[in-house]
Amino acid sequence: MPRTSIPGTPTTPDTPAIPDAPALGGSRWNTFPAAGTTLTAREFFTATEPLLQGIIDDNALTSADIAVLEGQIRATLALGTRETALPLYLGPDSASAARELGAQAETIGQELASWSAEALERLITDPVPLPAGPLVVRSHCYGHLLTPPAADLLLGRRGGPVSMQLYNEWLHQLVLLRDALLPFTNWQDAPLLITPTGLRHTEPARDAFLTELLVRQIRQTSIVAFARNVVTGTTGPAGYGFEASGGTALPAVLDQPPLTAPRHLLTWRPDPSVGEAATYVAEVQDYYAAPRTLVEDLPPALTTSGPLAARPVTAPVVDGTRTARIEVTHDGTTAHVDLGQALRGHRFAHHESPAAGDASGTADAWSALRAPGLVWTQSGEVTLDATAQDDLVVLALLGRLYPENLALRPADHAGDHSAGRSAARTTTDGTGPSRLAILVNPAQAH
């Protein structure tokens, strides 16, 4: 779906204007085309400005009133306020997905609030024309609480039903915008599907997404499903990423260091060659059932492995889904690791501080990558040295190791023997997996 800016028809003195859509005014508050439009966050925000203009006009607002409405939007988009539209409590024991999405909500909310304050200031002195007359938009209350000063301004001193309903619509569209952007690290670039009612088409998917976020540990497939609905307006198979016309949404770790990359957020990667919709799925859905290889059974390394080369490789689309692998090569030999399992390993891995080398054994990274199934051990902690490897090789290792009791640890080059071991489980009864730790160069954390 090509990105389309808000339409308008250029004119010349000899050519009368031919509007692409009815003029703004009455109940028409946007210039969205009928269907098939995608806008960025900034483009969508700009398209909602007629609602702000209607509020300014109906209330005869001045610059002195901006602080009241700015305070309202900041309170609505913040976390932990009485007026918050996202009652997400974040504490030290919160799940990693909730922490990442909560940080996104705060960052995006602050930026949208800043855009709002700037737009109000500008529209007071440089108004948007409403050629069809004042806006009169019927918008029901959606449960967004007002601050006392905003309630007084919109319903008391100069406001009334028209101002309140215009503000209801604008505020609700901004809340929908903030929430639609939560899954994306590069949220300002994500293409949002827009309909004549703005982002209201996302409401059912948003309700399911936020319900799961607020009442349980949200699943990665649920984050992906909501992101796909925001971009395409459609559903699809459960997976760890998706392709849509014009680009791909996959976890952020594919182009960030595994030690510091978000575990759950996606990055939108524009690609004009992508035309067919598809969902990325793991080769093995139940990793418990995958074959395993004990570390003790790996062949010894004949030579020092040195740097390995890695690249992602995708399979053809079959019934709307596709798989992908990380292909790792060394001295003309190739190993393949399922990308879905690698991303699963990244989500599950504990992140540790540098610690003394108290492992009971070591394993060679290249031997592990070539092993059949998932590599594990029950004989005490084993480390694999990946300090000479690039990020994609580290991600491939995360996909080859059994993802329980798995850790990423910066190599202790500075001799800092921190006692801050993670909460990863250490097996004492011999029935579960012992710890596998991947050592990475601390430089990869930056």
Side-chain angles (χ1 to χ4, degrees):
M1 58 186 74
R3 178 177 298 165
T4 306
S5 298
I6 301 173
T9 303
T11 62
T12 68
D14 300 323
T15 304
I18 302 175
D20 291 330
L24 288 170
S27 62
R28 181 172 174 79
W29 61 267
N30 64 62
T31 53
F32 302 145
T37 296
T38 60
L39 301 177
T40 64
R42 186 76 209 206
E43 290 167 341
F44 178 78
F45 179 87
T46 300
T48 68
E49 288 185 357
L51 285 170
L52 283 180
Q53 189 67 62
I55 298 163
I56 292 170
D57 294 347
D58 188 67
N59 259 26
L61 297 184
T62 68
S63 294
D65 301 311
I66 292 176
V68 172
L69 294 185
E70 181 183 1
Q72 171 65 57
I73 190 61
R74 289 193 183 278
T76 299
L77 296 180
L79 302 182
T81 63
R82 167 186 171 272
E83 296 82 11
T84 183
L86 181 59
L88 177 63
Y89 169 78
L90 295 177
D93 296 324
S94 297
S96 60
R99 291 197 302 271
E100 289 182 7
L101 291 168
Q104 284 282 97
E106 291 182 321
T107 298
I108 298 169
Q110 290 171 6
E111 187 70 8
L112 294 182
S114 296
W115 293 358
S116 302
E118 182 276 331
L120 283 165
E121 187 75 53
R122 172 169 41 82
L123 293 174
I124 286 173
T125 57
D126 185 18
V128 172
L130 302 175
L135 286 177
V136 182
V137 174
R138 180 74 174 103
S139 181
H140 298 277
C141 177
Y142 295 95
H144 303 305
L145 295 177
L146 296 183
T147 63
D152 179 56
L153 178 65
L154 295 169
L155 290 172
R157 285 179 284 161
R158 284 163 288 162
V162 173
S163 292
M164 192 64 252
Q165 291 182 43
L166 291 172
Y167 193 77
N168 277 341
E169 187 64 34
W170 178 78
L171 187 62
H172 191 56
Q173 291 287 344
L174 245 62
V175 169
L176 294 176
L177 174 61
R178 189 274 310 273
D179 295 345
L181 300 169
L182 293 180
F184 301 100
T185 57
N186 55 340
W187 58 270
Q188 296 206 37
D189 300 323
L192 306 173
L193 177 67
I194 308 300
T195 72
T197 57
L199 285 168
R200 286 182 175 276
H201 69 93
T202 67
E203 288 176 325
R206 170 184 174 268
D207 289 347
F209 169 72
L210 292 185
T211 298
E212 187 167 325
L213 173 63
L214 295 173
V215 304
R216 57 167 290 179
Q217 291 193 28
I218 191 168
R219 295 164 293 182
Q220 186 66 18
T221 52
S222 298
I223 297 174
V224 174
F226 179 55
R228 177 173 49 230
N229 184 273
V230 164
V231 172
T232 69
T234 62
T235 60
Y240 60 82
F242 66 92
E243 291 180 345
S245 177
T248 303
L250 285 167
V253 70
L254 284 173
D255 48 25
Q256 295 187 38
L259 199 58
T260 56
R263 300 171 189 255
H264 306 277
L265 301 182
L266 308 176
T267 297
W268 174 258
R269 298 168 176 85
D271 185 351
S273 67
V274 176
E276 184 178 8
T279 300
Y280 283 85
V281 297
E283 290 180 357
V284 176
Q285 295 300 314
D286 182 5
Y287 69 89
Y288 285 101
R292 304 183 199 177
T293 296
L294 286 168
V295 164
E296 295 77 18
D297 294 337
L298 293 177
L302 299 178
T303 61
T304 302
S305 293
L308 308 174
R311 67 186 185 106
V313 178
T314 58
V317 176
V318 178
D319 295 330
T321 66
R322 78 184 328 155
T323 58
R325 292 181 170 185
I326 302 174
E327 183 181 272
V328 187
T329 58
H330 179 63
D331 286 344
T333 304
T334 301
H336 294 92
V337 178
D338 175 47
L339 179 59
Q341 183 62 34
L343 296 169
R344 183 183 285 147
H346 179 253
R347 291 196 303 275
F348 289 2
H350 300 274
H351 291 187
E352 298 184 345
S353 300
D358 57 355
S360 60
T362 61
D364 176 64
W366 179 235
S367 297
L369 284 168
R370 297 179 64 194
L374 300 177
V375 173
W376 74 318
T377 184
Q378 293 180 306
S379 302
E381 179 173 320
V382 174
T383 61
L384 297 92
D385 188 351
T387 54
Q389 310 303 336
D390 68 22
D391 295 332
L392 198 56
V393 173
V394 174
L395 188 61
L397 269 175
L398 287 169
R400 182 59 71 205
L401 305 182
Y402 188 71
E404 292 185 48
N405 219 352
L406 177 61
L408 274 175
R409 185 186 306 158
D412 187 17
H413 294 330
D416 174 21
H417 292 179
S418 169
R421 299 296 292 271
S422 79
R425 175 169 53 86
T426 300
T427 299
T428 58
D429 59 6
T431 61
S434 298
R435 187 195 309 263
L436 289 171
I438 302 175
L439 298 182
V440 297
N441 193 314
Q444 292 177 279
H446 302 296

